[in-house]
């Protein structure tokens, strides 16, 4: 079983950058597609993006495309979310997620594993 722990959240000014990390425990990390969701105050949780188990294919929500990028290091059991050109509307709790299937993450289906989240606050 894989467990996920996010880090790297904090306060950043609009236009700035931040990189989140997600450390996974367990020997089966490379079997999972990895990605991120976020939930802003008062809003539903939304898909941000994901990456396949090889680290070669990524998929992003339109709201972050061109600003955010996801990468992974299977040797270190870590996945990253690089966030650039941050906007106030990016303020949210960001959750690291793992699932054996990479498709359908943006369709509200259940995911295999969730981290507890890390808060990102973008000040305008």
């Amino acid at each position: 079983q894989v467990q996920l722990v996010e880090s790297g959240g904090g306060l950043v000014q609009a236009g700035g950058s931040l990189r989140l990390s997600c450390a996974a425990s367990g020997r089966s990390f490379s079997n999972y597609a990895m990605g991120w969701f976020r939930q802003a105050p008062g809003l539903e949780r939304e898909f941000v993006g994901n990456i396949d188990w090889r680290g070669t294919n990524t998929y992003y929500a339109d709201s972050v495309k061109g600003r955010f990028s996801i990468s992974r290091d299977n040797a270190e059991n870590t996945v990253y979310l690089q966030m650039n050109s941050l906007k106030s509307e990016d303020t949210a709790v960001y959750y690291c997620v793992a699932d054996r299937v990479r498709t359908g993450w943006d369709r509200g289906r259940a995911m295999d594993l969730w981290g507890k989240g890390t808060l990102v606050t973008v000040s305008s």
Side-chain angles (χ1 to χ4, degrees):
Q1 185 77 345
V2 174
Q3 294 184 324
L4 308 174
V5 178
E6 304 94 335
S7 62
L11 176 63
V12 61
Q13 288 188 333
S17 297
L18 204 61
R19 189 177 80 158
L20 305 183
S21 300
C22 172
S25 62
R27 294 183 295 174
S28 59
F29 173 75
S30 60
N31 292 341
Y32 289 87
M34 301 294 297
W36 298 85
F37 281 71
R38 67 185 182 185
Q39 187 167 19
L43 298 180
E44 292 187 353
R45 196 172 292 180
E46 68 169 337
F47 169 75
V48 173
N50 65 18
I51 188 167
D52 67 1
W53 68 272
R54 294 183 185 87
T56 55
N57 294 297
T58 54
Y59 178 64
Y60 300 97
D62 288 342
S63 58
V64 305
K65 199 173 295 182
R67 299 188 299 121
F68 290 12
S69 64
I70 297 173
S71 60
R72 67 188 293 164
D73 184 339
N74 286 345
E76 297 294 330
N77 281 9
T78 303
V79 64
Y80 304 97
L81 177 64
Q82 178 67 43
M83 303 184 292
N84 299 326
S85 302
L86 283 161
K87 307 174 182 179
S88 57
E89 52 262 45
D90 294 318
T91 294
V93 176
Y94 284 73
Y95 297 91
C96 180
V97 179
D99 197 272
R100 286 180 171 83
V101 178
R102 190 173 72 92
T103 56
W105 286 43
D106 52 354
R107 299 176 187 175
R109 68 173 178 83
M111 298 287 110
D112 287 340
L113 298 165
W114 291 83
K116 293 185 178 181
T118 185
L119 176 62
V120 172
T121 303
V122 183
S123 63
S124 56

